[in-house]
Amino acid sequence: MELFDYDGELRRHNPVFRAAAGVRPGERVLDIGCGTGQTSREAARAAVGGEVLGVDITPAMLDQAERAEVLPHLTFQLADAQTHPFPPGRFDLAISRFGTMFFADPVAAFTNIARALRQSARLVLLVWQGYDRNAWATEILPVLGAGPFLGSPGPFSLAEPEVTEKILTAAGFADIRFDEVDEPVYYGPDSAAALDNLLRLSYFRINLAALADAAAERARARLLAVLAAHETGDGVWFGSRAWIVTARRSGQPV
C-alpha cells in the first residue's frame, strides 16, 4: 500500500523549517524521524563537505528514502533516537520535522540526542501546537470517534512551551525559543484524493475496520463531506498551528 504523503501535507511548513534549520556547509546533521527523507536530502544539499544521518523507526519510509535521490554523505538508518547509541559529540545540528512527539520517555530521548551533539550544537524542531489550534485534528478526528491524542506520547505532547522547555532543559539544552508557524496542511487536489490519502494512515484504517459495514460507510461519507468543505481550487487544506523550537546543547554533562 502507498504511504501517506507527509511531504505533500507539509508543503507550506517545509520552507519555514528549512530556513529555521539553516544548515551550513561542512556541518554534521542528525535528522530525527526523517520519514521518507525529504528533510535529510535538503540538509545534505546544504551541508556540502559535511554529512547527514537520517533515522526513523518505520522501515517502509526508510525504504522509500533510500530509493530516492542519492546524495554524497547522506545515509539513513533504522533507529529509535530515544535509545540508539549515536557516537558522542558527533553532530553540529539535530533537526526534526514533526518527528519528536512520540517518545515514550521524552527526557531520556532528548538526553540521548544531546549526547550525540557537540557542545553548543543546535537543535531545531517543528512540533504541533495544541489540539484546539489545529483544524485537521478538531474536524477530522471526531468523525471516527477519535480522541484528541492529548498527553505523551502523541502528536501534541510538545505543544505547551512550558512543558517542552522543562523537557529540553532537563535533557541538557539551553537558549530555548519558540516561534509560531501559522500554515495550513494539504491533503490532496480534491476531496476524493484527500480521502484516499488519509486512509493510508494506519490509525484511520484500523478505526474504520473496527466499525460494522454500515457504520464504516457512514464514517467514510462524513469524512468525505468534511474534506469537501475544505476543498478549494488549489486542493484540500486545513488550518494548523505549529512551533519552531530552537535550542543549543549546553555545556553541562548529560
Side-chain angles (χ1 to χ4, degrees):
M1 184 172 183
E2 290 186 57
L3 297 174
F4 177 77
D5 186 8
Y6 287 104
D7 294 338
E9 179 193 29
L10 302 172
R11 61 178 59 186
R12 294 277 187 88
H13 292 75
N14 204 59
V16 178
F17 178 67
R18 183 172 60 244
V23 178
R24 303 160 187 160
E27 285 193 313
R28 294 172 173 172
V29 182
L30 174 61
D31 188 2
I32 304 152
C34 66
T36 55
Q38 181 184 42
T39 50
S40 300
R41 290 188 294 274
E42 290 179 349
R45 294 187 195 105
V48 178
E51 65 181 61
V52 177
L53 172 63
V55 298
D56 203 280
I57 61 171
T58 307
M61 286 189 170
L62 286 177
D63 180 64
Q64 185 168 316
E66 290 174 338
R67 287 187 284 106
E69 179 183 6
V70 176
L71 293 167
H73 312 301
L74 169 62
T75 56
F76 295 102
Q77 187 169 9
L78 184 68
D80 183 346
Q82 179 171 316
T83 57
H84 184 74
F86 297 110
R90 176 71 177 176
F91 298 99
D92 304 295
L93 169 65
I95 62 174
S96 182
R97 188 189 71 181
F98 296 115
T100 57
M101 299 96 65
F102 299 92
F103 293 129
D105 186 338
V107 172
F110 282 108
T111 299
N112 193 48
I113 293 164
R115 291 193 187 106
L117 299 176
R118 63 168 178 78
Q119 185 174 331
S120 298
R122 295 178 295 133
L123 175 73
V124 181
L125 311 175
L126 188 58
V127 302
W128 295 119
Q129 291 189 31
Y131 172 84
D132 291 340
R133 305 206 76 195
N134 283 282
W136 61 265
T138 60
E139 297 191 40
I140 292 176
L141 296 181
V143 172
L144 296 179
F149 293 120
L150 302 178
S152 181
F156 307 110
S157 66
L158 300 176
E160 297 301 325
E162 298 84 358
V163 173
T164 302
E165 185 169 2
K166 287 180 180 178
I167 291 169
L168 294 178
T169 300
F173 290 95
D175 301 328
I176 301 161
R177 173 174 168 168
F178 297 80
D179 291 297
E180 188 163 16
V181 180
D182 181 2
E183 294 288 354
V185 293
Y186 173 84
Y187 289 133
D190 54 49
S191 56
L195 178 62
D196 179 68
N197 190 30
L198 285 173
L199 291 179
R200 296 173 189 171
L201 292 167
S202 59
Y203 180 83
F204 280 68
R205 295 198 307 274
I206 291 169
N207 275 271
L208 281 175
L211 299 174
D213 289 346
E217 284 305 311
R218 288 194 296 271
R220 277 176 171 267
R222 289 196 302 270
L223 182 53
L224 186 62
V226 169
L227 295 171
H230 285 263
E231 188 172 330
T232 72
D234 189 34
V236 178
W237 299 86
F238 282 77
S240 75
R241 293 291 181 91
W243 295 116
I244 289 282
V245 185
T246 55
R248 288 192 178 273
R249 166 76 161 83
S250 72
Q252 300 300 315
V254 293

